[in-house]
Amino acid sequence: MRQLRPFSWVFWALALAFAVGSATAADGGRQRTRIDDGWRFALGHAHDQAQDFGHGTRSFFFAKAGFGDGPAGAEFDDRTWRRLNLPHDWAVELPFSERGSAAHGSKAIGRAFPENSVGWYRRELAIPAAAQGKRIAIEFDGVFRDSVVWVNGHYLHREASGYSSFRVDISDYLNYGGRNVVAVRVDATTQEGWWYEGAGIYRHVWLTQTEPLRVGHEGTFVRATVNGGSAEVAVDTTVRNDGKAAESFTLEHELRDPAGRVVARATVPERRVGVDASTDVAATLRVTAPQLWSLEAPQLYKLTTHVKSGGRVVDSYDTPFGIRTIRFDANAGFFLNGRHVKLHGVNNHQDHAGIGIALPDAMHEARLKMLKGMGVNAIRSAHHPATPELLEACDRLGILVIDEHRMMGTAPQIRDEMERMVRRDRNHPSVILWSVGNEEWAIENTAVGTRLAREMQAIVRRMDPTRPATLAASSSGGPEGTAVGSEVLGFNYKAQHDIDAMHKRFPERASVVTEEGLTYATRGIYADDPAHVFVAAYDKRSGGASTASIEEAWRYNAERPFLAGVFFWTGFDYRGETTPYGWPAVSSQFGMMDTTGLLKDSGQYLKAAWTTEPMVHVLPHWNWPGREGQPIDVRVYANTDEVELLLNGKSLGRKPLARYAHLQWSVPYAPGSLTARGYQGGKLVVTETVATTGDGSAVRLTADRTRIRADGDDVAVVRVSVVDREGRVVPTASQRISFEVSGPVRLIGMGNGDPGSHEADKPAEFHRYAAVNGWRQKAVAKQEDATALLADAASAGWRDPFAWLPIEKQPADGAWNVVHASFARPAAAAGHAALFVGDITPGQQVYLNGKAVTPRREDGMGVIDLDPAQLADVNALTLVFATPAGGTRQLFDDAQGGRRWLTLRTTTSTGPWQRSVFNGHAQVILQSTGSPGRATLRAVSEGLAPAATVIEIF
């Protein structure tokens, strides 16, 4: 279960601007609200507690309830922190560094960068007093990684995985009718995978409110059996009781078809559930003439489950699902609704050019549509559970999914993560196969591998008997191993296995190639160039006999009916795993598309193999100055019977095209045009021309959508191209383009597909915090007495105001206080420096190096902008303020060592939104700000005519 029923906005949490789900029941129905907005963020430090805002330094901080310190404490002042909305990936905002991990895209994060590897998030919640007695929880769809959740200073949960969704019940820790603070510390120092993994709360966060008696978390399992013209829908519901007494209840199920019409109902007689207990309840509904979920028509039904007790509905819970049948056959492959479907699959990681792993929901859909345009009908979420919104998009678009668990094992933590994946995702009709692991080399050919594979798949089968499980193996054939224990044989790379022998050895088992290809190609490059980390885009093996070209791999799969299909590595290029080059490469080059989603030539081959609309593609481009008369390797991909190639109108021959093959000519270069004509049944059906272009003359902007929703989430993906005077894309263009927007959109990312580009993905503002120390306090009788002390912090009578003293040794208060602190001169290159001054008492006075200053106001604090050139190496800040009525003791105790009084912040400002085109193209992504209106993106570059495109936000 993912999306709950629409509901009217209810004020029960601060600034809940995105109300997206609730029940319609009166008197305390379910409410589920997205709380992505209104967070504060700052970088901490992996091991320096001072740079981690003093976290972990307070006595008893991890020994006593509610003793969270630093940002984990409820009273920590985060007003100097950056404001942002989720999802957020701070790693994509960091610069590249040769010291960074190449596997993770050489971003300045990880063990070599402790100052960049910990992030803190904080948000306030206002929960009304009327909510007391409800069950309130925060649900995190995904945080990378090693996250710790604190509420009101209480330690509640630690989640090691960067990919598992998790839920934290906060009911017992809330100040009902008062202020509440959620703090999350995220430590991305350690890698989980060998690809770019990002950093931060990169998926949605939800706040839920229910009655104590309710459907349990992700507590429905719906599956359908189709029998002729009807379907039997079986429902298992977990009902949870967190109340103070045992409860009796009934269940009512209501089933709506894709048009929203009620087509079936069922009522479960009264049951009883004990205190702090759950019970499972089964029911069956019958649907006549069901509309089946398919690739072409992905019809979705919705089951609403009402929990009734004491004559009223106490919970309503929606479960979207699809009615369909799946079958993996050992000899005939995969069947959907009884029809054979060859899986045209790709593997994908979850990052995208410019935005890292923090993809807006609409970006998942945009990427899937790019893949569908290539003929893809299936994806594998490599190598971790898929983002919930990605699965929802697959459900809507009709794309099949292998949903993959992160790591093999049955230890409690690993098992729990796997069970959470299955429980969360088992109602998605798009999910057809579970994967319990990937290339576990240490156990791949051992008895332990066999045992773990069988045990993990048995756990999955008990939770979901409707889908089989697999395991992606990089080797097989031995007497023991993960492949031996696999229910569906999953082969990574056909050249690393004897697949025919395995099929003969296990004739009862279905098979699928879970990874294939592993070829290298740089979009638009046709000669290897190691200095620029480019690889020619001609389809070829990346190594010897243990590898295969894309064409060889697909033909092999297509010729074997027993193989359910193939998942090529990968759909998109991704940041990290920079094979075959190291630094300065920062991206992989395996993809059928580059990091922005532009098709490479290998992707064009698969489009020809996987789609039926007539198409022809000719490569390479035709801009080769200085190579006149020299032979050019020209290749053509098409799905037609024959192809004719013409150079400047002259035929170079018409050739028959074998199925799943390509055609090749050696053509002496001459400027002009190269045209490929595709013939089907002797008739010309499709043509493509590549031409020698002129120099770049203008920028062209092409948006995938010119109308987006005013919801603060929706996106438009804009292709940026450099064209010549005739409007043709210049395939070698590399000009740098500047972007600006007006209207209700924001720029959120840029990319160009260049595997060696170190340009900023996403210019962002970063704050750094330096210590203000040397605190000294002295009491004086009169305000004017303070003036004489402005330059004197060394004489007798001064004390550290934050040092603990026994009550009997505490000095008497004076009417006024002089407090000194010192700070070092900020480096001019570090960015804009400012001192933030808290309000201690009314009428306080502020002095910088002995001179009175009047701070400006920002976020309820005083701010002193600093010019490093006007400062000394060591500087003094003096505060003069009256003693409050209650004395100074509590005032000093609440100052958090002075952090609530003074904060020195250095800000690296957001850089310009600029990106070079790579081989003629780049990409920018625009996102709605939440308001309707008309927005304009403008692009300018020296020597090129500017461009603008208008986006309507409705």
Side-chain angles (χ1 to χ4, degrees):
M1 180 270 182
R2 294 304 313 157
Q3 189 67 34
L4 300 182
R5 300 181 66 180
F7 74 107
S8 59
W9 189 82
V10 180
F11 181 78
W12 61 282
L14 180 66
L16 298 184
F18 300 103
V20 297
S22 177
T24 58
D27 299 326
R30 176 179 297 261
Q31 299 172 1
R32 188 170 190 257
T33 304
R34 206 169 76 193
I35 54 169
D36 288 350
D37 65 311
W39 291 80
R40 294 278 191 170
F41 169 76
L43 290 174
H45 201 279
H47 52 73
D48 185 332
Q49 292 175 316
Q51 294 186 63
D52 203 29
F53 303 100
H55 179 58
T57 59
R58 180 185 183 186
S59 298
F60 307 111
F61 103 98
F62 211 66
K64 300 290 186 180
F67 264 64
D69 65 352
E75 299 308 316
F76 179 85
D77 193 341
D78 59 19
R79 287 177 294 172
T80 63
W81 287 15
R82 175 179 163 194
R83 296 175 184 266
L84 54 75
N85 295 336
L86 307 177
H88 176 236
D89 173 5
W90 84 73
V92 76
E93 302 169 348
L94 294 170
F96 297 96
S97 172
E98 190 172 4
R99 295 189 298 124
S101 165
H104 280 58
S106 298
K107 285 289 188 175
I109 194 169
R111 296 201 179 277
F113 303 92
E115 72 281 8
N116 292 339
S117 298
V118 168
W120 282 94
Y121 296 84
R122 285 171 53 91
R123 191 191 195 280
E124 291 190 13
L125 299 174
I127 309 297
Q132 192 156 8
K134 314 292 187 184
R135 300 311 298 180
I136 297 174
I138 303 177
E139 298 171 7
F140 295 86
D141 282 349
V143 183
F144 194 87
R145 70 173 293 278
D146 195 8
S147 55
V148 182
V149 179
W150 303 74
V151 172
N152 295 333
H154 293 271
Y155 167 83
L156 295 190
H157 183 81
R158 182 169 191 167
E159 183 66 35
S161 170
Y163 300 102
S164 293
S165 299
F166 61 97
R167 177 180 183 270
V168 183
D169 191 314
I170 63 174
S171 309
D172 297 338
Y173 299 90
L174 292 171
N175 298 316
Y176 293 92
R179 176 177 177 267
N180 299 277
V181 178
V182 179
V184 184
R185 186 180 189 269
V186 184
D187 189 343
T189 301
T190 302
Q191 305 169 357
E192 282 191 62
W194 50 97
W195 56 88
Y196 175 83
E197 298 183 281
I201 306 179
Y202 69 96
R203 297 177 181 170
H204 294 311
V205 180
W206 307 82
L207 194 62
T208 64
Q209 174 183 299
T210 64
E211 294 288 338
L213 181 65
R214 66 195 187 276
V215 175
H217 179 56
E218 295 169 346
T220 57
F221 180 28
V222 183
R223 61 264 188 218
T225 303
V226 179
N227 297 303
S230 66
E232 187 175 274
V233 178
V235 184
D236 289 337
T237 306
T238 300
V239 176
R240 173 73 188 171
N241 179 24
D242 283 317
K244 305 298 184 184
E247 295 280 0
S248 298
F249 67 92
T250 60
L251 290 184
E252 293 181 356
H253 296 293
E254 185 177 77
L255 185 58
R256 295 182 182 271
D257 70 8
R261 298 179 295 251
V262 176
V263 294
R265 287 188 172 92
T267 299
V268 178
E270 187 172 87
R271 300 289 179 88
R272 194 162 178 82
V273 59
V275 177
D276 190 22
S278 299
T279 187
D280 294 330
V281 182
T284 302
L285 300 92
R286 186 172 298 278
V287 178
T288 58
Q291 301 175 56
L292 301 185
W293 187 93
S294 67
L295 302 182
E296 300 77 19
Q299 304 286 359
L300 291 172
Y301 284 75
K302 183 171 69 175
L303 177 76
T304 300
T305 301
H306 301 290
V307 182
K308 300 183 71 174
S309 182
R312 69 183 182 96
V313 174
V314 296
D315 192 18
S316 293
Y317 189 90
D318 283 353
T319 308
F321 71 101
I323 297 176
R324 52 96 174 113
T325 65
I326 63 170
R327 177 168 62 91
F328 282 86
D329 187 275
N331 296 307
F334 175 72
F335 291 80
L336 177 64
N337 299 325
R339 182 174 67 89
H340 179 262
V341 174
K342 192 77 167 181
L343 299 177
H344 300 162
V346 292
N347 293 269
N348 283 315
H349 291 313
Q350 59 183 349
D351 65 303
H352 188 86
I355 52 178
I357 60 173
L359 273 65
D361 295 354
M363 201 64 217
H364 291 295
E365 187 159 320
R367 282 164 56 92
L368 290 172
K369 287 179 178 178
M370 295 174 192
L371 293 171
K372 284 198 75 169
M374 192 181 83
V376 169
N377 63 19
I379 63 170
R380 173 174 169 237
S381 61
H383 301 289
H384 51 75
T387 298
E389 289 70 29
L390 174 63
L391 294 181
E392 290 170 5
C394 289
D395 290 345
R396 292 191 305 271
L397 295 176
I399 295 180
L400 306 169
V401 179
I402 298 179
D403 204 358
E404 186 156 276
H405 173 58
R406 175 68 205 95
M407 182 188 295
M408 284 193 71
T410 55
Q413 177 180 319
I414 297 173
R415 175 173 177 160
D416 176 60
E417 290 172 8
M418 183 177 71
E419 290 177 343
R420 274 186 275 161
M421 175 188 75
V422 175
R423 188 175 298 110
R424 187 196 70 178
D425 297 343
R426 61 188 175 179
N427 291 316
H428 287 284
S430 57
V431 176
I432 59 169
L433 192 60
W434 304 110
S435 172
V436 301
N438 172 73
E439 294 187 355
E440 294 287 355
W441 302 314
I443 60 173
E444 200 162 70
N445 292 289
T446 69
V448 172
T450 308
R451 187 183 313 129
L452 284 178
R454 287 173 175 164
E455 181 57 30
M456 293 177 75
Q457 289 173 120
I459 294 168
V460 169
R461 195 176 304 111
R462 288 193 292 271
M463 297 183 69
D464 176 17
T466 71
R467 299 173 179 89
T470 189
L471 191 152
S474 60
S475 61
S476 62
E480 296 282 3
T482 56
V484 173
S486 188
E487 180 182 2
V488 172
L489 297 171
F491 300 106
N492 280 9
Y493 308 105
K494 62 109 176 161
Q496 296 176 196
H497 302 264
D498 188 340
I499 292 178
D500 291 336
M502 289 292 286
H503 177 54
K504 184 177 180 179
R505 178 180 171 187
F506 299 104
E508 77 288 355
R509 299 191 195 181
S511 305
V512 63
V513 176
T514 40
E515 285 182 30
E516 189 56 279
L518 203 70
T519 58
Y520 314 131
T522 308
R523 175 183 57 79
I525 295 293
Y526 298 97
D528 290 348
D529 184 355
H532 292 93
V533 300
F534 299 156
V535 182
Y538 293 110
D539 182 27
K540 59 184 182 296
R541 296 179 178 181
S542 59
S546 63
T547 63
S549 70
I550 301 300
E551 183 176 323
E552 289 172 332
W554 171 245
R555 186 184 298 114
Y556 178 93
N557 204 284
E559 291 171 349
R560 287 163 172 76
F562 69 86
L563 287 175
V566 63
F567 291 78
F568 279 97
W569 191 266
T570 50
F572 294 85
D573 280 345
Y574 52 93
R575 182 63 51 74
E577 199 172 8
T578 58
T579 311
Y581 302 115
W583 180 265
V586 295
S587 292
S588 77
Q589 304 197 51
F590 302 118
M592 304 302 103
M593 302 178 180
D594 70 9
T595 55
T596 72
L598 278 176
L599 272 176
K600 300 183 191 177
D601 298 297
S602 50
Q604 296 282 3
Y605 166 78
L606 289 177
K607 183 177 181 180
W610 289 351
T611 64
T612 57
E613 182 177 347
M615 61 119 355
V616 62
H617 173 69
V618 59
L619 65 142
H621 62 73
W622 210 237
N623 280 28
W624 300 103
R627 294 191 59 182
E628 287 77 8
Q630 298 180 26
I632 303 293
D633 182 359
V634 175
R635 303 185 188 187
V636 175
Y637 300 132
N639 55 9
T640 58
D641 298 335
E642 297 176 291
V643 174
E644 181 182 21
L645 189 67
L646 299 93
L647 176 62
N648 295 327
K650 180 181 179 181
S651 178
L652 302 181
R654 180 167 163 174
K655 300 180 181 181
L657 177 59
R659 194 179 188 195
Y660 306 140
H662 73 277
L663 295 173
Q664 196 163 346
W665 284 262
S666 180
V667 180
Y669 176 66
S673 63
L674 193 65
T675 300
R677 294 176 174 173
Y679 294 86
Q680 195 78 24
K683 180 185 291 187
L684 177 64
V685 292
V686 64
T687 298
E688 181 179 90
T689 297
V690 292
T692 307
T693 70
D695 293 335
S697 174
V699 182
R700 183 167 69 201
L701 302 175
T702 307
D704 69 332
R705 302 161 64 206
T706 57
R707 300 186 77 241
I708 62 175
R709 295 179 299 277
D711 57 5
D713 294 323
D714 207 0
V715 300
V717 181
V718 182
R719 182 182 300 180
V720 183
S721 306
V722 171
V723 298
D724 67 6
R725 293 186 183 277
E726 297 183 37
R728 300 171 300 192
V729 175
V730 180
T732 55
S734 59
Q735 288 92 335
R736 191 171 178 84
I737 315 293
S738 297
F739 305 99
E740 63 177 17
V741 294
S742 60
V745 296
R746 53 180 166 255
L747 285 159
I748 63 169
M750 307 175 290
N752 63 10
D754 180 352
S757 174
H758 296 173
E759 295 175 294
D761 293 306
K762 186 186 183 101
E765 182 179 79
F766 273 101
H767 301 318
R768 301 287 184 179
Y769 302 87
V772 176
N773 46 40
W775 290 95
R776 293 290 183 268
Q777 180 264 347
K778 197 170 191 177
V780 295
K782 296 178 293 185
Q783 182 178 4
E784 51 267 29
D785 293 343
T787 306
L789 298 175
L790 292 178
D792 175 20
S795 62
W798 293 91
R799 74 179 187 98
D800 182 348
F802 311 123
W804 182 83
L805 288 173
I807 293 177
E808 65 273 12
K809 293 187 177 181
Q810 301 240 350
D813 285 334
W816 288 83
N817 300 273
V818 182
V819 174
H820 279 310
S822 60
F823 63 93
R825 185 205 323 254
H832 174 258
L835 274 171
F836 286 75
V837 184
D839 292 334
I840 305 172
T841 62
Q844 69 188 33
Q845 300 169 13
V846 183
Y847 298 84
L848 177 60
N849 291 332
K851 296 181 180 179
V853 294
T854 302
R856 62 180 175 84
R857 302 297 293 179
E858 180 180 318
D859 279 336
M861 303 185 75
V863 181
I864 304 170
D865 297 302
L866 303 176
D867 179 358
Q870 303 298 316
L871 296 176
D873 290 340
V874 178
N875 303 273
L877 196 288
T878 306
L879 302 173
V880 178
F881 55 90
T883 298
T888 60
R889 180 181 176 187
Q890 191 63 47
L891 190 70
F892 295 157
D893 287 346
D894 292 343
Q896 296 180 358
R899 284 187 292 271
R900 292 183 63 86
W901 290 0
L902 285 177
T903 299
L904 176 58
R905 189 183 81 183
T906 303
T907 300
T908 304
S909 61
T910 301
W913 284 86
Q914 296 178 338
R915 192 73 176 194
S916 299
V917 297
F918 176 61
N919 293 334
H921 295 291
Q923 181 183 87
V924 296
I925 303 171
L926 307 178
Q927 186 174 43
S928 157
T929 61
S931 300
R934 173 175 289 192
T936 302
L937 169 68
R938 296 178 177 85
V940 298
S941 181
E942 185 177 355
L944 300 177
T949 190
V950 174
I951 308 293
E952 297 288 343
I953 298 92
F954 64 96

